[in-house]
């Protein structure tokens, strides 16, 4: 959408969220959701199936799957049609997803962010997104959800049970 500035022939882009339709960003730490350092393609497909049964994907939603280099091939084959981020190290996938949150103007581009991880490293970013008016949903296994991340989310969905929890604001 372009706006004409009165008294001028110059066009300016509309500011803020007006430029973008409502859509979601799904940030997936696949090793965290699968519960292991090197999940197989079949395990990743199972995680994707459980995830898709619990969340609706919009036509314009974006999925980012992060993993270690050792898991990349399984991730790409097990969760196709996503954007893949790869980094070595103990928290490599977390750091890749945090880079997306920090450098890609997520709050201006997305109305909903789903964090597929239970790691507390995402708590500060989740709280910041919520303060900016973005709906933050956390998808995690029950035994790996950080208390700080649970508090920062507006909703928590557990992959290993049929139950989800809505956090009171």
């Amino acid at each position: 959408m372009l706006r004409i500035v009165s008294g001028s022939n110059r066009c300016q882009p509309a500011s803020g969220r007006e430029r973008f339709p409502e859509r979601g960003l799904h940030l997936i730490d696949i090793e965290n959701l699968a519960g292991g350092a090197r999940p197989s393609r079949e395990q990743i497909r199972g995680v994707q199936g459980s995830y898709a049964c619990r969340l609706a994907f919009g036509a314009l939603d974006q999925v980012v799957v992060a993993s270690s280099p050792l898991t990349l091939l399984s991730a790409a084959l097990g969760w196709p049609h996503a954007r893949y981020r790869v980094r070595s190290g103990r928290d490599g996938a977390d750091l890749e997803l945090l880079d997306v949150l920090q450098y890609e103007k997520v709050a201006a581009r997305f109305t909903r962010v789903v964090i597929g991880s239970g790691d507390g490293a995402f708590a500060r970013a989740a709280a910041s997104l919520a303060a900016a008016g973005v709906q933050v949903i956390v998808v995690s296994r029950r035994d790996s959800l950080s208390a700080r991340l649970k508090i920062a989310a507006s909703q928590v969905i557990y992959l290993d049970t049929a139950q989800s929890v809505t956090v009171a604001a």
Side-chain angles (χ1 to χ4, degrees):
M1 168 192 277
L2 294 174
R3 289 193 184 152
I4 304 295
V5 178
S6 61
S8 170
N9 289 335
R10 295 180 349 169
C11 294
Q12 290 182 340
S15 63
R17 213 179 290 261
E18 294 176 61
R19 285 184 60 195
F20 300 101
E22 289 201 12
R23 61 189 187 141
L25 175 64
H26 300 260
L27 300 171
I28 309 297
D29 177 346
I30 194 60
E31 293 148 339
N32 184 281
L33 290 185
R38 290 196 62 189
S40 68
R41 178 180 58 180
E42 291 74 24
Q43 287 173 306
I44 292 169
R45 279 191 181 150
V47 168
Q48 182 193 32
S50 295
Y51 188 98
C53 284
R54 288 167 176 79
L55 283 115
F57 284 90
L60 299 175
D61 284 8
Q62 183 179 36
V63 179
V64 180
V65 175
S67 72
S68 73
L70 298 174
T71 304
L72 176 61
L73 182 59
S74 294
L77 294 172
W79 197 311
H81 312 294
R83 177 177 157 206
Y84 306 99
R85 302 280 304 238
V86 179
R87 190 180 295 190
S88 296
R90 177 169 153 73
D91 296 323
D94 294 348
L95 295 172
E96 283 299 313
L97 296 175
L98 287 167
D99 280 354
V100 170
L101 290 170
Q102 183 175 358
Y103 298 113
E104 297 188 12
K105 299 180 182 172
V106 171
R109 297 171 50 217
F110 298 95
T111 56
R112 175 176 73 137
V113 172
V114 182
I115 299 172
S117 176
D119 290 340
F122 294 101
R124 180 178 287 162
S128 177
L129 287 167
V134 177
Q135 179 188 21
V136 178
I137 300 170
V138 170
V139 176
S140 176
R141 290 177 298 110
R142 185 173 290 281
D143 65 345
S144 68
L145 179 59
S146 155
R148 291 184 310 131
L149 183 56
K150 183 177 181 178
I151 290 168
S154 60
Q155 183 179 7
V156 174
I157 297 172
Y158 294 108
L159 279 185
D160 48 357
T161 65
Q163 182 181 15
S164 71
V165 176
T166 302
V167 179

